Amino acid sequence: MNKLTSLRRVLTLNVCQSSQRAVVIRNEHGQNADFPRKYSKREKKPFPIPVLELRRRAKERMKAAQGKPKQPMPPPKNGMLVRRLIPVAYKVYNARILLINNLKRLMKVVPVKGCKYCSEIHVGSVGHPFRTCRGMSAAQRRGEHDWGSTLVEAVFLPIEAYHLEDRLGPRIPHDQRFSVPRIPALVELCIQAGVDLPEYPTKRRRKPIIKIGRKEFVDANEDDLPEPEPDRFKQPLLEELHYDEIIAPSNPEETAALAEETLEAWEAVRDGALKLMKGYAVRVCGYCPEVHVGPTGHKARNCGAFKHQQRNGQHGWQAAVLDDLVPPRYVWHMPESGEELQRELKTFYGQAPAVVEICIQGGAKVPEKYKATMRLDIGIPSSLKEAEMVV
């Protein structure tokens, strides 16, 4: 009996090890990751951190603070700027302008097509053949796209937000939704983080606020402070070029260098925006793409998403993620052979952000972080018969 029991244990151990080994091999494979999920317009976006986890963390903070003196609020909650993030804000602002200007130049040599009836785009001389159009009269066209030219705003989406002169001031009411200017949300985040733009003034405090209630505060007296000195973090700002001032690259070497610079600007925008979002609160509606830069969302009842009548048009504010502020706009990746995409082989093609795909077709190297969804190691069948033989 002992020999039989030990033999069973050895067989069970071998089966477990083989199954674990198979799982590990599958997880360690860094290619062919699934595409980002597209949420339906009839469902709410998931919270970046579950509500139960937020409540648990709040209870732990309350227990840790019991019996201890109350700590002063850190910036930016006390109205002051986070000094270490001011250079990051200037870098993100200039990288955004550089990205837009370079994309305008690249799109003169790298063709980008846009559907006339929906928001889908494709990087290539001919639009893709997939029937995924959901625009006007799509049923009559059986979901086929009607491709035409497009602008840089379709590649790098201009997500807008309300500009706040005082980020700690009262929330924007519904009746003032047209009197408050709207600017790109990324620019508003840079302004609140320390970038000074004369056309968009904002309040800069030199002393922390004095709280008199849970949601009430007064500004500290700054009369005893000397005159403010020139800000040592201030940097020269780039300007966005008009389409008439754009000059296309003259040769492939210049195009490749421009594509590499554009890709670096894209990464600088994404990485810098993520750093700023860790210090300054950014909100997004859980039902629509509305973004608000500030500790609390505005009160404008302009949400037209699913079941907005039950909410009286009010937004369901929650913490935003990086893709809400800087959407990547995934497009189909063209094979290196240059062959046009085939409708029957859709499952074999990969996807990449539109900015990255433009830079790659312009001559830039493929970044390592985007290879997982581009499916570069998949051998694309030459015919439908060969594709049916794939297991």
Side-chain angles (χ1 to χ4, degrees), residues 153-180:
E153 287 78 11
V155 177
F156 185 58
L157 294 180
I159 304 296
E160 292 188 345
Y162 286 109
H163 171 60
L164 305 179
E165 294 187 1
D166 185 4
R167 63 182 307 273
L168 297 182
R171 300 170 65 182
I172 300 175
H174 178 72
D175 54 357
Q176 296 183 7
R177 63 191 184 280
F178 297 121
S179 59
V180 181

Side-chain angles (χ1 to χ4, degrees), residues 265-277:
W266 167 255
E267 294 299 330
V269 168
R270 297 270 298 181
D271 296 343
L274 184 60
K275 293 179 182 179
L276 294 179
M277 292 176 67

Side-chain angles (χ1 to χ4, degrees), residues 150-360:
T150 187
L151 301 175
V152 69
E153 287 78 11
V155 177
F156 185 58
L157 294 180
I159 304 296
E160 292 188 345
Y162 286 109
H163 171 60
L164 305 179
E165 294 187 1
D166 185 4
R167 63 182 307 273
L168 297 182
R171 300 170 65 182
I172 300 175
H174 178 72
D175 54 357
Q176 296 183 7
R177 63 191 184 280
F178 297 121
S179 59
V180 181
R182 290 180 66 86
I183 61 176
L186 194 58
V187 175
E188 174 64 17
L189 180 60
C190 294
I191 292 175
Q192 294 189 15
V195 176
D196 292 326
L197 298 179
E199 59 271 25
Y200 300 113
T202 183
K203 188 172 184 178
R204 305 293 189 198
R205 294 179 175 86
R206 302 168 62 190
K207 280 186 177 182
I209 60 174
I210 302 174
K211 295 203 67 173
I212 57 177
R214 183 178 179 183
K215 295 184 179 180
E216 298 180 358
F217 67 91
V218 294
D219 292 331
N221 187 12
E222 300 180 357
D223 296 337
D224 56 337
L225 296 178
E227 291 294 327
E229 299 180 357
D231 193 355
R232 59 186 178 89
F233 296 107
K234 193 171 184 179
Q235 302 176 11
L237 301 177
L238 301 179
E239 294 184 1
E240 185 175 341
L241 300 179
H242 195 265
Y243 281 97
D244 299 336
E245 305 174 358
I246 299 299
I247 301 176
S250 57
N251 52 66
E253 291 76 13
E254 184 180 356
T255 304
L258 182 64
E260 290 287 352
E261 185 182 25
T262 306
L263 199 55
E264 293 177 1
W266 167 255
E267 294 299 330
V269 168
R270 297 270 298 181
D271 296 343
L274 184 60
K275 293 179 182 179
L276 294 179
M277 292 176 67
K278 292 180 179 179
Y280 294 87
V282 180
R283 304 294 179 185
V284 66
C285 178
Y287 304 93
C288 72
E290 179 74 9
V291 172
H292 181 80
V293 183
T296 54
H298 59 75
K299 294 183 179 180
R301 300 189 299 271
N302 52 6
C303 182
F306 183 61
K307 291 186 178 180
H308 63 90
Q309 300 90 346
Q310 300 180 4
R311 293 176 280 110
N312 195 21
Q314 295 181 356
H315 295 283
W317 297 112
Q318 63 187 49
V321 297
L322 180 60
D323 288 348
D324 296 324
L325 187 65
V326 188
R329 284 305 303 270
Y330 277 83
V331 297
W332 293 101
H333 172 62
M334 294 293 293
E336 295 182 0
S337 59
E339 299 178 358
E340 298 297 334
L341 303 180
Q342 301 182 34
R343 184 183 307 166
E344 296 81 7
L345 306 178
K346 181 179 179 181
T347 56
F348 295 91
Y349 300 119
Q351 291 186 2
V355 177
V356 178
E357 181 66 19
I358 292 176
C359 296
I360 292 173

